[in-house]
Amino acid sequence: MMMILSLVFCVLLFAERLTGEIWHVILGAAFLILSIAHGYRYRKEMKAGKRSVRITDWVMVVSLAFLVLTGMMIHPMQGVLAVKIVHKLSAVVFAAGLLVHIRQHRKKKTGVC
């Protein structure tokens, strides 16, 4: 269920032109809270898991940090293009990491890993 919810959040966040700026901020904050809760729940596995899982997790953590920072910087900096580019690039890296992360969780559940 959490996997589907995460993907729905990602799709809605990428569709800012449809949802609007206010909903983008609200959905982004909600997604951040869900991501932090998930990371807290699986913090031991992040430290002791397979190397490929740890790398994916840390790529997602770093890209999420960039997303939050650049998201907060966009308005005060009056929409500086470089900040927008870093924000979008971080979003793409996070989404790609999310897909890999979901695949890793599914493998773990089915016992393939």
Side-chain angles (χ1 to χ4, degrees):
M1 181 64 176
M2 181 73 164
M3 293 180 224
I4 294 170
L5 187 60
S6 297
L7 289 174
V8 168
F9 268 100
C10 267
V11 168
L12 290 172
L13 285 166
F14 273 104
E16 182 187 359
R17 290 186 181 186
L18 297 175
T19 60
E21 195 173 308
I22 293 172
W23 276 106
H24 183 76
V25 172
I26 292 169
L27 291 169
F31 191 62
L32 175 64
I33 291 168
L34 285 174
S35 296
I36 290 171
H38 179 76
Y40 182 77
R41 181 177 177 198
Y42 290 99
R43 67 190 178 281
K44 290 179 184 172
E45 285 86 348
M46 276 181 76
K47 293 178 184 175
K50 289 175 60 177
R51 185 168 191 223
S52 61
V53 174
R54 288 195 322 255
I55 290 170
T56 302
D57 290 345
W58 282 109
V59 165
M60 290 177 63
V61 167
V62 170
S63 63
L64 188 60
F66 273 102
L67 274 170
V68 171
L69 291 173
T70 56
M72 290 189 292
M73 290 170 49
I74 285 175
H75 293 289
M77 295 187 75
Q78 311 262 330
V80 173
L81 186 60
V83 175
K84 287 182 175 182
I85 290 170
V86 171
H87 187 72
K88 289 180 192 271
L89 181 63
S90 299
V92 170
V93 169
F94 184 84
L98 181 64
L99 292 173
V100 171
H101 186 75
I102 288 171
R103 186 172 155 261
Q104 290 170 339
H105 269 291
R106 293 190 66 147
K107 277 186 175 180
K108 189 175 174 183
K109 266 188 176 176
T110 59
V112 175
C113 226

